[in-house]
Amino acid sequence: MGKLFRRYWIPFLLSEEVAEPGGAPVRVKLLSRALIAFRDSEGKLGLIEEFCAHRRVSLWFGRNEEGGLRCPYHGWKYDVHGKCLEVPSEPAESGYCQSIKLTVLSLR
């Protein structure tokens, strides 16, 4: 049934709940999926997998800063498209973070 329901539009969150750019993330449980909704510092809305790809820490505890949501455990930073922007323990030129991406639900 999950595949069938995922084909239809399902209202699940009011825009007022994530209205402030750079505000706190909001936990969302939708069709048995744990998700996080947030607006980045530019006001873009994202709905991504709740748990960090590194140690599966909930991003609900994360900090919303400069274009992304930063994991509180080791500081990995994700944008509204689920792409990893920064891994503090790796040099930027290594390209390691480019291979990391969280599951994203499309917001239309």
Side-chain angles (χ1 to χ4, degrees):
M1 288 305 289
K3 287 182 182 180
L4 176 67
F5 280 123
R6 286 183 179 94
R7 294 181 184 166
Y8 295 95
W9 183 74
I10 302 169
F12 61 92
L13 187 70
L14 297 172
S15 62
E16 296 88 39
E17 293 180 73
V18 287
E20 182 182 333
V26 177
R27 273 187 172 145
V28 175
K29 184 86 165 184
L30 184 62
L31 299 175
S32 298
R33 295 178 102 168
L35 305 166
I36 291 291
F38 72 100
R39 282 194 194 275
D40 67 6
S41 55
E42 298 173 7
K44 295 179 198 166
L45 185 61
L47 184 62
I48 63 174
E49 176 181 350
E50 179 179 353
F51 302 101
C52 178
H54 182 228
R55 295 287 183 181
R56 306 298 293 163
V57 173
S58 175
L59 293 172
W60 183 70
F61 297 108
R63 291 187 315 268
N64 193 343
E65 55 183 52
E66 290 305 313
L69 195 58
R70 189 174 296 278
C71 176
Y73 196 62
H74 283 119
W76 290 24
K77 186 175 174 182
Y78 300 94
D79 69 4
V80 295
H81 305 291
K83 292 186 338 190
C84 185
L85 301 174
E86 186 181 326
V87 176
S89 61
E90 292 288 323
E93 56 275 356
S94 75
Y96 178 69
C97 68
Q98 295 171 355
S99 64
I100 302 164
K101 185 169 168 68
L102 296 177
T103 303
V104 178
L105 267 68
S106 176
L107 296 171
R108 297 177 194 209

